[in-house]
């Protein structure tokens, strides 16, 4: 618990003695309590918003097989070819890649709370519009617009966390809400069975009901987030100044108050005294070589993850053409339950052993490669091939959260706030070129490889194995180079700001010099 000085002049509300920030003393237990308090305020909201936005983004995948037996699936109703579908899927990532960085930079300048709510509200609106699609061109247009409004959400969530947590503790939190994407994929598959039963109700097909319900829920959530998510924390005595464009928005309660706010200030002082960034600061991030191995790591694992999410049901149907549409939907869900289990098992450990993030990342990628090989070559056993898909889901679990947390660690220390905002957006945005590759060029987008037969999708699987191998190699290269060159604060940034590197030191930065390991687990005393 925090220790308070006994002297002081005047009183605050409820008779509290005013405390100077540099007077307060605290222990690790007090810090843990505050971060758990922040978890209750931030993580559930992030989980829900990521769940809905992921469902809206990915439900087009399951719409390809819904009510196919009566020709009420998306492709039959709209007359879409396999190339139309792969193009529509890829266009989301084209606009996402283009606008990811600008969106995150705007978020760092304006209210992070308002910008995040804006993203979710817009995703809900575009998701609702999918209900009215009548032709392939309208699906392509809406997919491009959906990527445009979604841009900045995933890296924005990562950036938002660094306003409240040290980078070494963000991996577990990213993993917590990343499970929403996995459960969303599972629920989309399970709930689609119910939507298929609604086919023809009030003249809507099953997939139209699905688009409508998820879109309306997204709109409602975007409005609710304005009242719930806290804005960036303020240093003691600082008054919140609202941007002139945002004065009409409702306010939300501060994340922390009183003694808790002072302890958090001492532990994470670096985020309270960040200065406005300029274009020169942004340029220094772009030319930092540490960025590009992270991009390649993300490219591979996200490409495989999105490819599995969008084409998983198609692959299951190819394993056994006798599976009914509802059976395919039900078998799709366990892939993401395996992913969820892996996230819960690994991301907390990856934070505790944060100097070995490459080990956690590479292990997950190797499990995915093993799953792809099993799905490709176990031709005599349909369930073994399906088990390979479960392995892919399990291996995917730690890779994305670990990659984003590692990005936060390196670039907050080297480039401060703009480093996190820009690097997380570039890793997410450029890394999603892997998603374009798997959605446009592979599986149904590769006619020769999609031909019916025992070797269907084999070349696509080979390609995914190749990009995973590239991701593993990039993590090893980054680890070796960091051991040689380190990740100390960029001297260019220090010179440009006219400050010293010591100014960013705080309680959390001092603790991050050592790994927590198993300390504090299973009743063992924390350091």
């Amino acid at each position: 618990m925090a220790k308070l000085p006994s002297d002081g002049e005047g009183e605050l509300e409820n008779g509290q003695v005013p405390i100077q920030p540099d007077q307060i003393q605290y222990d690790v237990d007090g810090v843990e309590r505050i971060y758990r308090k922040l978890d209750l305020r931030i993580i559930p909201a992030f989980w829900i918003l990521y769940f809905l936005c992921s469902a809206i983004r990915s439900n087009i995948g399951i719409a390809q097989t819904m009510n196919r037996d009566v020709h009420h699936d998306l492709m039959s109703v709209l007359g879409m070819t396999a190339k139309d579908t792969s193009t529509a899927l890829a266009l989301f990532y084209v606009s996402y890649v283009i606008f990811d960085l600008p969106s995150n930079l705007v978020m760092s300048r304006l209210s992070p709370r308002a910008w995040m709510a804006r993203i979710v509200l817009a995703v809900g609106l575009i998701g609702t519009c999918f209900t009215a699609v009548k032709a392939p061109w309208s699906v392509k247009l809406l997919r491009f617009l959906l990527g445009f409004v979604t841009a900045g959400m995933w890296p924005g969530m990562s950036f938002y966390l660094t306003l409240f947590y040290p980078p070494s503790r963000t991996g577990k939190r990213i993993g917590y809400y990343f499970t929403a994407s996995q459960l969303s994929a599972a629920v989309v598959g399970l709930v689609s069975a119910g939507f298929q039963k609604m086919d023809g109700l009030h003249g809507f097909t099953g997939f139209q009901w699905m688009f409508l319900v998820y879109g309306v829920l997204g709109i409602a959530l975007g409005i609710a987030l304005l009242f719930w998510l806290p804005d960036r924390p303020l240093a003691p005595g600082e008054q919140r100044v609202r941007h002139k464009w945002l004065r009409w928005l409702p306010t939300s309660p501060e994340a922390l108050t009183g003694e808790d706010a002072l302890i958090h200030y001492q532990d994470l002082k670096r985020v309270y005294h960040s200065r406005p960034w300029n274009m020169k600061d942004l340029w220094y991030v772009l030319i930092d070589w540490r960025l590009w191995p992270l991009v390649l790591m993300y490219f591979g694992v996200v490409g495989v993850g999105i490819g599995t999410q969008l084409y998983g049901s198609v692959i299951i149907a190819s394993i056994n053409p006798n599976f009914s549409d509802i059976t395919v939907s039900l078998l799709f869900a366990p892939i993401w339950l395996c992913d969820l289990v892996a996230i819960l098992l690994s991301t907390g450990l990856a934070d505790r052993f944060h100097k070995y993030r490459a080990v956690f990342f590479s292990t997950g990628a190797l499990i995915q490669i093993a799953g792809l090989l099993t799905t490709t070559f176990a031709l005599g056993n349909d369930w073994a091939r399906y088990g390979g898909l479960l392995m892919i889901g399990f291996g995917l679990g730690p890779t994305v959260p670990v990659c984003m947390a590692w990005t936060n660690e390196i670039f907050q220390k080297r480039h401060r706030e703009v480093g996190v905002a820009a690097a997380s957006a570039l890793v997410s945005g450029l890394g999603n070129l892997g998603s374009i590759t798997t959605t446009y060029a592979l599986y149904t987008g590769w006619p020769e490889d999609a031909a019916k037969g025992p070797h269907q999708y084999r070349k696509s699987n080979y390609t995914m194995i190749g990009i995973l191998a590239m991701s593993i190699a990039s993590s090893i290269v980054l680890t070796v180079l960091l051991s040689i060159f380190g990740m100390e604060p960029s001297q260019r940034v220090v010179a440009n700001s006219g400050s010293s590197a010591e100014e960013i030191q705080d309680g959390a930065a001092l603790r991050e010099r050592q790994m927590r390991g198993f300390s504090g687990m299973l009743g063992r005393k924390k350091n």
Side-chain angles (χ1 to χ4, degrees):
M1 292 296 293
K3 299 178 181 179
L4 308 181
S6 58
D7 57 346
E9 298 182 358
E11 290 188 347
L12 299 176
E13 294 181 5
N14 302 321
Q16 294 178 347
V17 177
I19 307 167
Q20 296 299 319
D22 57 356
Q23 291 179 301
I24 196 166
Q25 302 175 31
Y26 60 94
D27 56 22
V28 175
D29 287 334
V31 173
E32 294 287 354
R33 176 181 58 81
I34 288 171
Y35 288 138
R36 287 194 297 269
K37 187 174 183 179
L38 288 170
D39 286 344
L40 293 175
R41 180 73 182 277
I42 297 171
I43 303 304
F46 270 21
W47 195 95
I48 296 170
L49 80 85
Y50 199 54
F51 178 94
L52 273 177
C53 290
S54 296
I56 292 169
R57 179 193 68 200
S58 65
N59 58 19
I60 189 175
I62 200 71
Q64 297 175 64
T65 58
M66 291 175 63
N67 300 113
R68 186 168 53 184
D69 54 340
V70 292
H71 304 292
H72 283 183
D73 57 288
L74 180 70
M75 298 180 71
S76 297
V77 171
L78 301 186
M80 295 180 68
T81 65
K83 182 60 71 174
D84 286 329
T85 303
S86 60
T87 301
L89 294 175
L91 281 173
F92 171 92
Y93 298 101
V94 171
S95 55
Y96 185 93
V97 168
I98 294 171
F99 296 105
D100 215 21
L101 176 59
S103 177
N104 228 32
L105 294 177
V106 171
M107 183 179 187
S108 71
R109 288 285 198 183
L110 300 179
S111 161
R113 169 186 67 101
W115 196 250
M116 188 60 65
R118 190 280 307 166
I119 290 174
V120 177
L121 179 62
V123 168
L125 286 170
I126 299 298
T128 304
C129 290
F130 273 89
T131 309
V133 292
K134 298 297 182 183
W137 70 264
S138 59
V139 177
K140 296 173 186 176
L141 173 62
L142 287 177
R143 284 291 293 181
F144 183 87
L145 292 177
L146 186 62
F148 169 70
V149 299
T150 305
M153 181 185 68
W154 174 248
M157 295 165 78
S158 181
F159 166 73
Y160 186 98
L161 285 186
T162 63
L163 300 177
F164 296 94
Y165 302 94
S168 64
R169 291 174 180 262
T170 59
K172 180 173 71 172
R173 273 83 187 182
I174 293 171
Y176 282 161
Y177 62 74
F178 189 55
T179 62
S181 177
Q182 281 48 64
L183 275 181
S184 173
V187 169
V188 165
L190 291 171
V191 175
S192 70
F195 284 123
Q196 290 181 72
K197 297 293 186 182
M198 298 172 65
D199 186 56
L201 184 63
H202 298 298
F204 285 179
T205 62
F207 70 78
Q208 285 179 308
W209 278 112
M210 180 176 65
F211 291 149
L212 178 63
V213 170
Y214 284 126
V216 171
L217 289 174
I219 293 171
L221 178 62
I223 296 171
L225 290 175
L226 284 172
F227 296 89
W228 180 257
L229 283 179
D231 254 320
R232 65 168 67 235
L234 296 176
E238 186 178 354
Q239 297 295 317
R240 190 172 301 282
V241 178
R242 305 186 70 186
H243 194 282
K244 63 181 180 179
W245 294 348
L246 304 176
R247 289 172 186 166
W248 58 275
L249 292 175
T251 58
S252 66
E254 296 294 336
L256 298 168
T257 57
E259 177 188 328
D260 289 348
L262 292 176
I263 294 175
H264 188 263
Y265 171 78
Q266 286 292 339
D267 199 57
L268 207 59
K269 195 179 296 184
R270 72 192 92 165
V271 305
Y272 286 86
H273 297 294
S274 60
R275 64 176 182 82
W277 54 269
N278 54 41
M279 294 305 295
K280 186 178 287 187
D281 295 321
L282 179 59
W283 173 247
Y284 292 150
V285 176
L286 296 176
I287 63 174
D288 193 326
W289 60 264
R290 296 160 184 83
L291 175 66
W292 304 107
L294 290 163
V295 170
L296 293 177
M297 289 166 58
Y298 200 83
F299 180 99
V301 297
V302 169
V304 172
I306 295 299
T308 305
Q309 190 175 61
L310 294 177
Y311 290 115
S313 59
V314 176
I315 296 172
I316 293 171
S318 73
I319 290 175
N320 189 334
N322 295 321
F323 286 152
S324 69
D325 296 339
I326 291 180
T327 299
V328 169
S329 296
L330 294 176
L331 289 175
F332 184 67
I335 299 172
W336 307 107
L337 295 179
C338 289
D339 195 317
L340 183 150
V341 170
I343 290 171
L344 296 178
L345 289 175
S346 62
T347 52
L349 287 174
D351 274 357
R352 288 179 170 274
F353 294 91
H354 61 90
K355 294 183 181 180
Y356 297 111
R357 293 202 186 274
V359 175
F360 289 91
F361 178 90
S362 298
T363 300
L366 285 171
I367 293 173
Q368 291 178 74
I369 289 176
L372 283 164
L373 290 171
T374 303
T375 300
T376 303
F377 291 107
L379 299 178
N381 190 323
D382 292 345
W383 292 110
R385 297 182 68 191
Y386 175 69
L389 290 176
L390 299 182
M391 293 172 64
I392 295 170
F394 188 86
L396 177 66
T399 53
V400 172
V402 164
C403 189
M404 294 303 293
W406 206 0
T407 302
N408 291 344
E409 279 189 83
I410 295 172
F411 283 87
Q412 189 188 71
K413 186 171 185 179
R414 283 189 55 77
H415 299 276
R416 307 180 186 176
E417 185 171 297
V418 68
V420 177
S424 61
L426 287 166
V427 169
S428 170
L430 296 178
N432 263 293
L433 291 172
S435 302
I436 297 176
T437 300
T438 55
T439 55
Y440 184 74
L442 303 184
Y443 297 105
T444 58
W446 191 345
E448 178 189 348
D449 196 39
K452 301 288 185 181
H455 302 310
Q456 188 177 19
Y457 303 135
R458 173 169 289 192
K459 293 179 181 178
S460 295
N461 291 342
Y462 286 161
T463 304
M464 296 225 282
I465 290 170
I467 63 176
L468 283 170
M470 177 191 66
S471 293
I472 294 172
S474 298
S475 72
I476 295 172
V477 169
L478 180 60
T479 301
V480 172
L481 292 179
L482 286 178
S483 69
I484 298 172
F485 299 103
M487 57 180 190
E488 294 306 311
S490 170
Q491 294 305 309
R492 289 175 174 145
V493 173
V494 171
N496 189 41
S497 64
S499 59
S500 65
E502 285 73 20
E503 289 182 22
I504 64 172
Q505 296 299 312
D506 48 38
L510 295 174
R511 290 197 309 278
E512 285 174 340
R513 294 176 181 175
Q514 294 183 333
M515 295 185 296
R516 285 180 291 156
F518 292 110
S519 177
M521 296 181 68
L522 303 177
R524 298 177 60 183
K525 184 175 178 58
K526 298 176 183 177
N527 293 327

